[in-house]
Amino acid sequence: MVQFDSNKRTINPIFFIALGLFGLYTIEFGIVGILPTITERFNVSTSQAGLLVGMFALVVALLGPFMVLLLSKYNRKHVLVMSLLIFSASSLLSAYTSNFYILLALRMIPALFHPVYFSMAFVAASSLYPKEKATQASAKAFVGTSMGMVLGIPITTYIVDQFSFEASFIFCALVNAAASVGIAFMLPKTSKAEKVSYGEQLSILRKVPLWINIGAATFIFAAMFSVYSYSAEYLKQVMGMSGEVISVLLVIFGVGGVVGNLLAGKLIGINKVRTTVFHPILLALTFILLYLGATSIVPVIVIMVLWGAAHTSGLIVTQIWLTAEAPEAPEFANGLYISFINLGVSIGSLVAGWFLTASGMKGTIWSGLLFIILALVCIAIKILYENQKGREKMLLPPSDKPSVNR
């Protein structure tokens, strides 16, 4: 393992890893902020423009693990730099295309490499620190993810409003290009480790606990995006906020998210199980506060900070909870993670839409709470499973216990 002493350099390589994650998630979610411009520019319907979001998530969910598996045998640093340059090039080409379907095709290219960069970025970040600080390293890298998810939409919307359609894509291209240069020069070279074969990586799919954790992560993301997908409309319809105030509140949400993410990284390093159990409970509490509603600005700000912290910390909590079951194949496990959480995003948004139709905007809260219950059931099953395995191991006679060769 290469360990990095952050006191010896001004700029930590994790900064560039996080910058790449910010650029990647701005590509994925930032398009939402400019959909009205796209419908006008390319003369397409809103539902057609929505394919730019839906197809991106679908490609990640369906092909993510396979792309990670395919590229896992190559040098990690080289793959990270290559992925970022692909993100940059596709953004630059998107800025100047005049055909909607070419734009759609250009969106599919970064979608293919999204899980590759994501998976290898967190393995690279963890390798920079001692094992006991790996979760804190992941939390620092996740700052880029959370900022991209939360601020990608308002940033691209602002750039289009103030400058041009092309400028929003050029911004994404520059961010990813800067991250690629930073990683190329700042990320230390790792000692050549023995590559895990495809068969050994695929063997983790036989692990029952892994699938239970996949279920928990999927349901937590379904809960998160049941409510977050409709956040702007919820703040407008239920809490009576104006458009300008909503923009500010979403930035406050993002600030709360960064703090919550870093705090969760420390807590999960202290006690993984307790933090994983506590997270969905905290998320449920924020949903209940949203359901009760508030109209004065101070309580709303408090709710947004708590919601942002609970929502964004779900990234690090679910990633550590899932990938901890497959330390022998970290890249492939992260590929599975990004695939299933994207599936969770799609499921949550869809089911919340049904609840919204049936019982109004507050129905999205009921959708979120339903998925939280399902996530807690998965977490409880996992804990009971591990406890049962532990008891069975303790009951084995000494002759049946596995010996340790010294």
Side-chain angles (χ1 to χ4, degrees):
M1 181 196 305
V2 175
Q3 293 180 14
F4 180 82
D5 185 354
S6 59
N7 296 321
K8 291 183 179 180
R9 290 189 184 182
T10 310
I11 303 178
N12 192 314
I14 284 188
F15 170 80
F16 294 105
I17 292 172
L19 183 64
L21 287 166
F22 169 76
L24 169 56
Y25 277 89
T26 300
I27 288 174
E28 180 173 6
F29 292 105
I31 199 78
V32 174
I34 61 174
L35 284 183
T37 304
I38 288 171
T39 58
E40 182 179 341
R41 181 184 180 92
F42 294 98
N43 194 26
V44 295
S45 66
T46 303
S47 60
Q48 283 179 292
L51 289 173
L52 296 170
V53 181
M55 291 298 293
F56 190 105
L58 185 63
V59 169
V60 173
L62 293 180
L63 300 178
F66 304 103
M67 287 294 295
V68 173
L69 190 65
L70 182 66
L71 294 174
S72 63
K73 67 178 182 179
Y74 296 102
N75 181 282
R76 186 186 302 144
K77 180 176 177 178
H78 294 166
V79 173
L80 288 172
V81 173
M82 178 192 71
S83 298
L84 288 168
L85 291 175
I86 288 171
F87 301 154
S88 183
S90 64
S91 295
L92 195 60
L93 291 171
S94 296
Y96 296 103
T97 184
S98 58
N99 184 286
F100 174 77
Y101 293 101
I102 293 177
L103 178 64
L104 182 61
L106 288 170
R107 289 276 294 170
M108 299 306 99
I109 298 170
L112 282 172
F113 287 86
H114 175 298
V116 175
Y117 181 82
F118 180 94
S119 302
M120 295 192 179
F122 286 100
V123 177
S126 297
S127 72
L128 295 170
Y129 287 83
K131 188 176 180 181
E132 63 273 13
K133 293 186 177 180
T135 55
Q136 293 182 38
S138 294
K140 290 176 181 178
F142 258 125
V143 169
T145 301
S146 57
M147 295 301 284
M149 291 177 71
V150 174
L151 299 180
I153 295 174
I155 285 175
T156 53
T157 304
Y158 176 82
I159 291 173
V160 168
D161 290 342
Q162 297 297 316
F163 301 100
S164 66
F165 170 85
E166 291 83 2
S168 65
F169 286 98
I170 292 171
F171 170 78
C172 293
L174 291 174
V175 168
N176 285 292
S180 71
V181 172
I183 288 176
F185 285 97
M186 297 296 295
L187 188 66
K189 291 181 179 179
T190 56
S191 56
K192 190 151 186 171
E194 182 182 350
K195 295 296 181 181
V196 182
S197 69
Y198 292 152
E200 288 174 295
Q201 293 186 71
L202 288 169
S203 69
I204 69 172
L205 298 176
R206 294 198 294 264
K207 291 186 170 184
V208 173
L210 177 67
W211 285 104
I212 298 172
N213 288 2
I214 284 173
T218 303
F219 288 137
I220 286 175
F221 264 77
M224 288 160 53
F225 281 85
S226 284
V227 182
Y228 182 68
S229 297
Y230 302 92
S231 55
E233 282 301 308
Y234 194 95
L235 291 170
K236 180 181 178 181
Q237 294 186 27
V238 177
M239 296 187 167
M241 300 292 117
S242 65
E244 294 79 6
V245 173
I246 289 171
S247 297
V248 174
L249 289 175
L250 289 176
V251 172
I252 293 171
F253 177 99
V255 173
V258 171
V259 174
N261 202 58
L262 293 173
L263 180 60
K266 292 181 179 180
L267 292 175
I268 205 167
I270 297 169
N271 193 306
K272 181 174 63 180
V273 175
R274 288 180 184 174
T275 305
T276 304
V277 172
F278 177 70
H279 170 263
I281 294 173
L282 177 62
L283 188 63
L285 176 62
T286 64
F287 286 174
I288 291 169
L289 291 174
L290 284 166
Y291 187 86
L292 295 174
T295 52
S296 57
I297 193 65
V298 174
V300 172
I301 289 175
V302 172
I303 291 172
M304 293 303 291
V305 170
L306 289 174
W307 183 19
H311 178 93
T312 311
S313 60
L315 294 163
I316 183 70
V317 171
T318 53
Q319 191 247 2
I320 296 298
W321 185 245
L322 190 156
T323 57
E325 285 300 326
E328 67 273 32
E331 286 98 346
F332 185 51
N334 272 303
L336 291 170
Y337 170 74
I338 194 66
S339 178
F340 278 96
I341 65 171
N342 270 273
L343 180 62
V345 171
S346 300
I347 293 172
S349 301
L350 177 64
V351 174
W354 295 341
F355 274 80
L356 191 157
T357 302
S359 54
M361 186 56 64
K362 284 191 173 183
T364 59
I365 301 294
W366 290 112
S367 175
L369 292 173
L370 170 64
F371 285 118
I372 285 174
I373 291 170
L374 293 173
L376 285 170
V377 169
C378 288
I379 294 168
I381 291 172
K382 167 66 188 309
I383 293 171
L384 291 172
Y385 180 91
E386 291 298 323
N387 289 342
Q388 180 64 29
K389 284 287 184 182
R391 282 193 293 268
E392 289 175 359
K393 190 174 180 180
M394 291 294 292
L395 291 173
L396 283 173
S399 59
D400 291 339
K401 291 182 180 180
S403 60
V404 178
N405 296 321
R406 296 185 182 274

